[in-house]
Every structure is written in C-alpha cells, then in structure tokens.
C-alpha cells in the first residue's frame, strides 16, 4: 500500500511539469530529423552482433492495439542489447501473399469465390492483390514510429519480390532433392468457400466451440435384419458416403435389447449410452462380426467393388460412441487408411464448393453441414435413428473466412515433415522459450503429433509451386531462374519476368524423359512457408547475401503472440530443420493476446481492432 501511495505522489509531482504528448512528439521529431536509429547502429557496427528476426505482419488492414503490444516487446530486447554495446541489425519485413490478401481484395471487388476471380482474370486479380499490400503500409509505418519501435523499414524484405520467391524456390528444390516433397491423395482439412486445402498449423488457428448433432444410428445386418449394429457419429452428412463399419478385435461386444430393438455394441459403453436397465442377450465375439454385411443407411451412390461390411481397425476405441465406427474414406484420414487396407471404394458426392451433387436428390446443392438436420429427420422417419442429442465440441473453421472446414479426400502437395520428427524435437530442445511451459506443452505436444505439411493451395496470389509436369507424369522441380532459363522452354524467361501467376503459367518446358510438353502445376504454396523461409530469403540466399546469412543465422531472439506456436514459430523451425537440421532461432518470447470487449482475440480479419 505504501509503495502504491509513493508512486501516486511521484506521479503528481512530475505530471504538472511535463506535457507528455508534446514531450513524446519532440522526442520522435529529434530521433527522425537526426536519424538516431541508424546512428545507434552505426556507432556499434564493430560490436558483437545480437540477431533479431522480424516476424512479417500482413499490412492488408489497419494496425490495432494488439500489434502495438507485440511490436513493443519486439523492441525492448534489441534496444536493451544496443544499450549494452551490441550491434543489433533490425531488418523489417512484410508478409504479402496468401488468403488474407485475397479475401481483402474479394471484399473490395464485391465478389465471392474462385469462379468470380477467374471470371475477372487472374492477372487483374493478382495485380489488385499486389496493390492492396501497399494500401496500409503508410499507416503501419506511422504506428511503428509513433510507438518508438526501432526497425529498418527502408530496407524491408517483401515476400512478393522475385528475389524472395527465387530463394523459396531454391529451398523447395533442396527439399525435393531429399525426396521430402511429394504429391499425394489424402484426406485434408478443406475450406469449401476458399476452395483449397489448409495445413495443420492453419487449422489450429481456427477452432470454435459449436453444437453439432450427435446421432446413434441402426445399421441392420443383412443375414439377420432384426439385429442392428449401433453406430455413433457427429457428422450425419457423411453417412451418405458410408462404405463399411469398423470394430476393434480386442473390444468385447454384446447384443442387447432395449425399447423393443436388438442391437450390437461395445459392452463397456452400454451404461453410458443406454443406461442401466438393459437386457444383455449374449456376448458377440469380434471374430463373429468381422466380414458380416449390413444394410447401409443410404444408397444414392452405387459402389464399385465390395462394400457395406464390418472390418477391423486399430483406431476404434471403447472410450466414446458405441465401439462401432462408420467408415467414409472420402471424409476421414483414419477412414481412408482403413479403406486402402480393405480395398473399399471411395464415395464422394460432394463438390469442391462443399455441396452435395445431383445424385443426392433430397439435399442436392446444399452445403453438407447444413444438410445434417434434414438427414437426422429422414433417419428418424425411416426408423433408423435410435437417439439424437446436441453435442458441444471444438470444431475447425477456416482461419480467414470462418467457414466450417470439412475433411475431404483430394490430391495435394505435401512436405514429409513426419520424416524429420525427431530432428524437429531436437531443434525444439535447443530453444529457450518464455514462458518455458510452452516448450514441452503447447508447442512440444504439437510437435509430437506432427503430420506432413499440406503445402499446396489451389489459389492465385502466392509463391507458385515450381514444379512442371508432362502428360506422362514426369516432373521437374526448378530451383532458380537461371535453372529455368537453362531448360528447353517455350515462353520468355528473363530477369523482368513476374514469377507470379498467370505469367509463370505461360512458361512451358520440353520433358527431358519423353519429349512431351510440361506445364507448371497450378498450385501456389502455403504463405506460412514464405514467412518461415525469411532467414534465407530476406537476403536472397544462396544467390546473394551468403556472408550476411551465415553471420546472422540462427537468430538470438524472436517474439510473437501465442497463436504463432503453430504459425510462424513452427514454420521457421520446420523450414530450417528441413534444410540445415537445426532451429533458426535460439530464444523466443511468446505473448498472450489482447482481447476485445467481448473477450475475443483482436484480429484484422475479425474487424475488432
């Protein structure tokens, strides 16, 4: 109490004598007119270096108070080190690619989605994306000066520059040479509104608590229709694509009778699902169930090959549900694995816009999750719905447009980060985290469950994936402009070529294996890969800046909000570990979030800054 009283007395004594706004403005003016920031660096040019990496913000909207917090913390440590005699270079950077920019331009144009973009033309759309990047830069630079964040915006790196893109191409070629970049058909988190797959670290930034229908559905057995498998799901819309049900060979199953219905489920879950007054008719060995056929809830899509029978799967548990899992390989990673193991067909009646196609007549043209209510009612009317309750849980939404994601089987490009999991864990061990519980908690636990990086985006404004493919499936990954010039090409390649779409798409190659024409695959890459490449690409390494890069890698210090544990902190570490087997930073300060009046995280995309 005395300490607080003393502080108030000191403030009262000082405040009448100092006009703080005028004092601050005079100070800023003095620093600006005398170039004090650069002088502070020049005076320490021969001192030991303390390396800071700037996490590049996306300047496609007005900055807010949450940006003030992070930029102040970014400034404190380099400023302190400078006062201690260190030379602290502070190169600014701007993140300029990706969905945040594209969605801002869509909003400005009053359009919605990929069809509208392609109607106005990729060249015009991308030009508007480029222009939008600079729209708010002046406001960001004003804020940067006003809060006295000393960083060199006159020598900033931009992820849209050809030099930056070329360095990213080189990195991708190095990963390709290690056989860690591949094209595969997997179930991926997919935004139907943006029309593209997302990476796991993007998904982790968009979870929301929602209520979904939790349904228990009867699947009658073909050889004894009076007995049904009791199946639980929180995604009724996927029942239309059901091709199998899965059990675990070590779970104890029983046949029960309740409400005049005979059903099979896991013994351990009876009380949780059905209550205590249940008549258990008999034990049903898992071996007796495997291979038996059942009547699926829907037959809109005729399947090729054997389907609608019981298979074994190790991922089935008796912790929740009924111990019997419905399998739809098109919409679940585990389901896809089980489908491949058992030769099951993949039934996908869902368009790239997330709508049921014409075959699903009652719900054709409807967004799949919007069809849940109708499907539940239909199951009820046909006597297949045993129970229906509301289920509150955390569900992933697009981190930029808020559309509920669906898990969707499609072809994408991946980086095999699972192959370097042990190296990533070792890289993390070399880093000091503040607060330290992040290291083995939020971040370390996430690394333990690492999945391959879904790299490609079926979008327009981004670093083009530098892979060309011919009709026979032969592929070339290009690692530089000079390498591209040296290939057998049609189209103009010179130093003035804009490496973005659609110009890079016009470059055709002659396949060295079969002589056929090679065209660039249409995808661009995850913008998080851009920002994770900044330790190299900010210098145009390895084409330029080799000495600077080697002297300033890894960084002594980085700082961002806690959401970047699965964003920039991860992409920085993953890219450098893929290339060099170690982390690109030594110390990281991880900040909390400033919330708005409703307790929501402040964000440009939310408009609550």
């Amino acid at each position: 109490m005395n300490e607080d009283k003393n502080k108030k007395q000191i403030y009262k004594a000082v405040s009448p004598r100092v006009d703080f706004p005028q004092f601050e403005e005079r100070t800023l003016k003095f620093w600006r007119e005398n170039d004090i920031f650069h002088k502070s660096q020049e005076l320490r040019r021969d001192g030991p270096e303390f390396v800071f990496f700037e996490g590049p913000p996306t300047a496609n909207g007005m900055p807010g108070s949450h940006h003030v917090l992070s930029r102040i913390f970014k400034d404190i440590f380099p400023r302190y080190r400078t006062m201690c005699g260190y030379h602290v270079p502070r190169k600014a950077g701007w993140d300029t690619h990706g969905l945040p920019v594209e969605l801002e331009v869509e909003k400005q144009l009053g359009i919605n989605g990929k069809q509208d973009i392609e109607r106005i033309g990729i060249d015009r759309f991308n030009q508007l994306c480029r222009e939008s990047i600079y729209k708010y830069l002046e406001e960001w630079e004003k804020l940067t000066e006003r809060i006295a964040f000393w960083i060199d915006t006159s020598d900033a790196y931009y992820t849209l520059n050809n030099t930056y893109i070329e360095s990213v191409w080189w990195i991708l070629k190095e990963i390709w040479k290690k056989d860690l970049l591949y094209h595969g058909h997997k179930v991926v988190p997919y935004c139907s509104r943006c029309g593209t797959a997302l990476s796991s670290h993007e998904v982790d930034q968009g979870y929301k608590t929602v209520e979904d229908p939790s349904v228990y559905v009867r699947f009658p057995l073909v050889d004894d229709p009076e007995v049904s498998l009791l199946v639980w799901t929180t995604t009724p819309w996927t029942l239309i694509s059901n091709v199998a049900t899965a059990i675990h060979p070590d779970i104890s199953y029983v046949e029960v009778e309740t409400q005049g219905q005979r059903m099979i489920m896991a013994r351990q879950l009876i009380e949780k699902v059905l209550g205590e007054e249940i008549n258990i008719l008999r034990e049903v060995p898992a071996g007796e169930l495997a291979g038996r056929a059942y009547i699926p809830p829907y037959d809109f899509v005729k399947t090729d090959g054997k389907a609608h029978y019981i298979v074994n799967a190790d991922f089935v548990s008796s912790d929740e549900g009924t111990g019997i899992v419905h399998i739809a390989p098109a919409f679940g990673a585990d389901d896809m694995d089980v489908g491949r193991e058992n030769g099951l067909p993949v039934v996908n009646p869902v368009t790239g816009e997330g709508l049921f196609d014409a075959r699903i007549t009652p719900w054709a043209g409807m967004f799949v999750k919007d069809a849940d209510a109708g499907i539940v009612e239909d199951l009820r009317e046909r006597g297949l719905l045993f129970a229906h309750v509301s289920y509150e849980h955390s569900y992933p939404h697009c981190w930029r447009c808020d559309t509920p994601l669906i898990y969707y089987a499609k072809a994408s490009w991946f980086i095999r980060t699972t192959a370097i999991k042990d190296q990533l864990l070792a890289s993390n061990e070399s880093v000091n985290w503040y607060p330290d519980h992040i290291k083995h908690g939020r971040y370390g636990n996430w690394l333990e469950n690492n999945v391959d990086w879904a790299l490609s985006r079926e979008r327009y404004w981004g670093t083009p994936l530098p892979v060309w493919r011919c009709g026979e499936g032969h592929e070339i990954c290009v690692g530089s402009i000079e390498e591209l010039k040296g290939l057998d090409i049609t189209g103009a390649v010179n130093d003035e070529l804009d490496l973005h779409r659609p110009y890079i798409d016009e470059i055709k190659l002659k396949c060295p294996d079969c002589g056929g024409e090679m065209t660039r695959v249409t995808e661009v890459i995850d913008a998080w890969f851009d920002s994770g490449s900044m330790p190299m690409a900010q210098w145009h390494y390895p084409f330029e800046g080799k000495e600077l890069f080697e002297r300033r890698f890894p960084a002594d210090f980085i700082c961002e909000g806690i959401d970047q544990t699965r964003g920039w902190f991860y992409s920085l570490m993953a890219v450098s570990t893929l290339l060099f087997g170690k982390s690109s930073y030594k110390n990281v300060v991880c900040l909390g979030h400033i919330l708005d009046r409703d307790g929501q995280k402040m964000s440009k995309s939310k408009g609550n800054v």
Side-chain angles (χ1 to χ4, degrees):
M1 290 295 291
N2 288 336
E3 186 178 345
D4 291 341
K5 185 177 179 181
N6 289 337
K7 284 180 180 177
K8 289 177 182 177
Q9 289 173 342
I10 291 169
Y11 180 76
K12 286 179 181 178
V14 172
S15 57
R17 302 175 191 173
V18 179
D19 185 329
F20 283 106
Q22 286 190 21
F23 173 75
E24 291 164 352
E25 183 54 43
R26 285 199 304 270
T27 303
L28 291 172
K29 184 181 179 183
F30 176 79
W31 286 352
R32 184 190 315 123
E33 292 178 351
N34 293 279
D35 198 17
I36 299 300
F37 166 51
H38 288 106
K39 283 181 179 176
S40 74
Q41 291 195 304
E42 193 59 40
L43 285 169
R44 295 158 178 82
R45 182 70 58 185
D46 296 329
E49 281 199 336
F50 180 81
V51 180
F52 162 68
F53 285 167
E54 157 75 334
T58 306
N60 68 318
M62 291 290 286
S65 54
H66 61 307
H67 297 115
V68 175
L69 176 71
S70 64
R71 291 170 98 71
I72 286 173
F73 269 86
K74 288 180 185 182
D75 187 72
I76 289 171
F77 293 87
R79 190 179 291 269
Y80 168 74
R81 288 289 180 168
T82 300
M83 293 167 69
C84 292
Y86 284 80
H87 177 230
V88 188
R90 278 164 270 180
K91 187 180 179 73
W94 301 105
D95 201 5
T96 58
H97 284 150
L99 278 174
V101 182
E102 291 197 35
L103 294 181
E104 176 72 15
V105 172
E106 285 189 48
K107 194 184 304 179
Q108 290 170 8
L109 293 174
I111 63 175
N112 185 31
K114 295 167 70 173
Q115 288 185 340
D116 286 348
I117 292 171
E118 294 187 4
R119 179 176 50 79
I120 68 170
I122 298 173
D123 53 349
R124 182 186 170 215
F125 181 76
N126 275 1
Q127 180 57 34
L128 292 172
C129 286
R130 181 187 294 273
E131 291 170 5
S132 78
I133 292 301
Y134 300 99
K135 180 179 179 181
Y136 299 102
L137 267 187
E138 186 178 346
E139 295 301 323
W140 279 80
E141 290 177 350
K142 282 181 182 177
L143 173 76
T144 298
E145 182 190 51
R146 179 63 188 82
I147 64 174
F149 175 30
W150 276 2
I151 193 162
D152 196 351
T153 55
S154 66
D155 183 36
Y157 66 86
Y158 294 79
T159 60
L160 60 78
N161 287 346
N162 268 11
T163 53
Y164 198 99
I165 291 173
E166 187 175 29
S167 288
V168 175
W169 278 15
W170 172 79
I171 294 168
L172 289 168
K173 179 66 177 282
E174 292 300 301
I175 294 170
W176 171 279
K177 287 176 355 188
K178 295 179 181 181
D179 197 28
L180 296 176
L181 177 62
Y182 69 97
H183 191 251
H185 194 268
K186 291 186 177 185
V187 174
V188 292
Y190 180 80
C191 177
S192 57
R193 182 254 171 259
C194 296
T196 188
L198 300 179
S199 59
S200 58
H201 45 270
E202 288 176 298
V203 172
D204 278 326
Q205 298 194 52
Y207 275 89
K208 293 184 176 182
T209 300
V210 299
E211 285 192 0
D212 276 326
S214 169
V215 296
Y216 295 84
V217 183
R218 296 191 308 107
F219 286 34
L221 292 170
V222 170
D223 57 8
D224 189 357
E226 296 301 312
V227 179
S228 298
L229 306 172
L230 186 59
V231 175
W232 175 70
T233 182
T234 58
T235 54
W237 64 270
T238 63
L239 290 170
I240 287 169
S241 299
N242 172 268
V243 294
T245 57
I247 61 172
H248 196 291
D250 297 332
I251 290 178
S252 174
Y253 293 92
V254 292
E255 181 182 333
V256 300
E257 185 173 20
T258 181
Q259 302 175 19
Q261 298 177 342
R262 291 160 55 200
M263 299 179 294
I264 295 171
M265 63 176 295
R267 174 187 280 276
Q268 188 173 328
L269 289 160
I270 289 176
E271 185 176 334
K272 185 176 180 180
V273 175
L274 304 178
E276 296 180 358
E277 302 300 322
I278 300 300
N279 183 21
I280 297 178
L281 301 178
R282 69 184 185 97
E283 299 281 343
V284 183
E288 179 187 317
L289 290 174
R292 291 177 74 176
Y294 61 85
I295 302 168
Y298 292 102
D299 61 356
F300 292 115
V301 182
K302 304 305 177 186
T303 58
D304 295 325
K306 187 179 179 182
H308 307 125
Y309 65 99
I310 304 169
V311 300
N312 288 317
D314 289 338
F315 72 85
V316 178
S317 79
S318 56
D319 295 333
E320 61 179 358
T322 65
I324 303 175
V325 176
H326 116 79
I327 301 297
F331 305 114
D334 288 334
D335 299 39
M336 179 64 81
D337 290 342
V338 168
R340 286 175 175 150
E341 290 169 9
N342 292 276
L344 297 169
V346 177
V347 174
N348 187 353
V350 179
T351 70
E353 291 76 36
L355 313 176
F356 279 123
D357 67 26
R359 292 173 292 178
I360 316 305
T361 48
W363 305 288
M366 183 178 289
F367 180 57
V368 290
K369 288 186 71 65
D370 292 341
D372 275 345
I375 291 169
V376 171
E377 189 55 36
D378 177 71
L379 293 169
R380 189 192 311 278
E381 290 175 359
R382 293 192 291 130
L384 296 176
L385 184 70
F386 178 75
H388 168 218
V389 295
S390 185
Y391 175 65
E392 185 176 274
H393 66 138
S394 187
Y395 190 85
H397 290 63
C398 179
W399 68 295
R400 280 303 176 184
C401 74
D402 275 347
T403 300
L405 301 181
I406 59 177
Y407 284 81
Y408 192 80
K410 64 189 307 298
S412 297
W413 288 87
F414 298 87
I415 295 177
R416 211 183 310 272
T417 48
T418 51
I420 63 160
K421 175 183 170 181
D422 290 343
Q423 291 179 63
L424 284 170
L425 292 170
S427 292
N428 187 39
E429 287 303 314
S430 71
V431 175
N432 293 318
W433 284 84
Y434 299 92
D436 59 4
H437 64 80
I438 301 291
K439 179 172 184 171
H440 296 123
R442 179 184 174 92
Y443 188 70
N445 289 339
W446 192 69
L447 283 185
E448 286 281 0
N449 296 291
N450 184 270
V451 298
D452 284 353
W453 188 336
L455 179 73
S456 56
R457 299 289 176 272
E458 295 159 287
R459 297 293 302 188
Y460 309 98
W461 179 242
T463 295
L465 185 63
V467 175
W468 274 257
R469 180 191 286 151
C470 73
E472 297 298 315
H474 303 129
E475 294 169 346
I476 290 176
C477 182
V478 175
S480 70
I481 295 172
E482 281 303 310
E483 181 183 347
L484 186 59
K485 288 179 181 178
L487 297 170
D488 193 344
I489 64 173
T490 58
V493 177
N494 54 55
D495 293 337
E496 308 305 317
L497 173 68
D498 184 345
L499 295 181
H500 291 95
R501 300 189 69 190
Y503 314 109
I504 194 65
D505 298 338
E506 296 166 3
I507 305 299
K508 312 295 182 185
L509 308 180
K510 182 177 180 181
C511 180
D513 294 316
C514 68
E517 183 179 75
M518 305 186 90
T519 59
R520 195 192 70 81
V521 299
T522 57
E523 292 94 336
V524 297
I525 69 168
D526 181 4
W528 289 103
F529 193 91
D530 276 356
S531 59
S533 301
M534 64 79 61
M536 291 67 67
Q538 65 176 334
W539 306 117
H540 194 209
Y541 178 87
F543 310 102
E544 297 178 81
K546 191 170 185 292
E547 185 273 333
L548 269 174
F549 165 71
E550 291 175 352
R551 199 171 78 227
R552 297 177 184 173
F553 179 90
D556 293 298
F557 165 66
I558 61 171
C559 173
E560 296 290 342
I562 194 169
D563 53 329
Q564 298 302 324
T565 49
R566 293 159 192 191
W568 190 55
F569 296 158
Y570 172 71
S571 63
L572 268 183
M573 184 177 288
V575 172
S576 64
T577 303
L578 283 159
L579 276 178
F580 307 117
K582 64 180 182 179
S583 174
S584 56
Y585 52 91
K586 300 175 185 177
N587 301 281
V588 52
V589 172
C590 193
L591 307 175
H593 288 144
I594 292 183
L595 308 181
D596 67 10
R597 67 182 64 189
D598 299 317
Q600 298 296 312
K601 168 196 166 187
M602 284 191 176
S603 168
K604 294 197 302 293
S605 61
K606 293 178 184 289
N608 61 349
V609 302

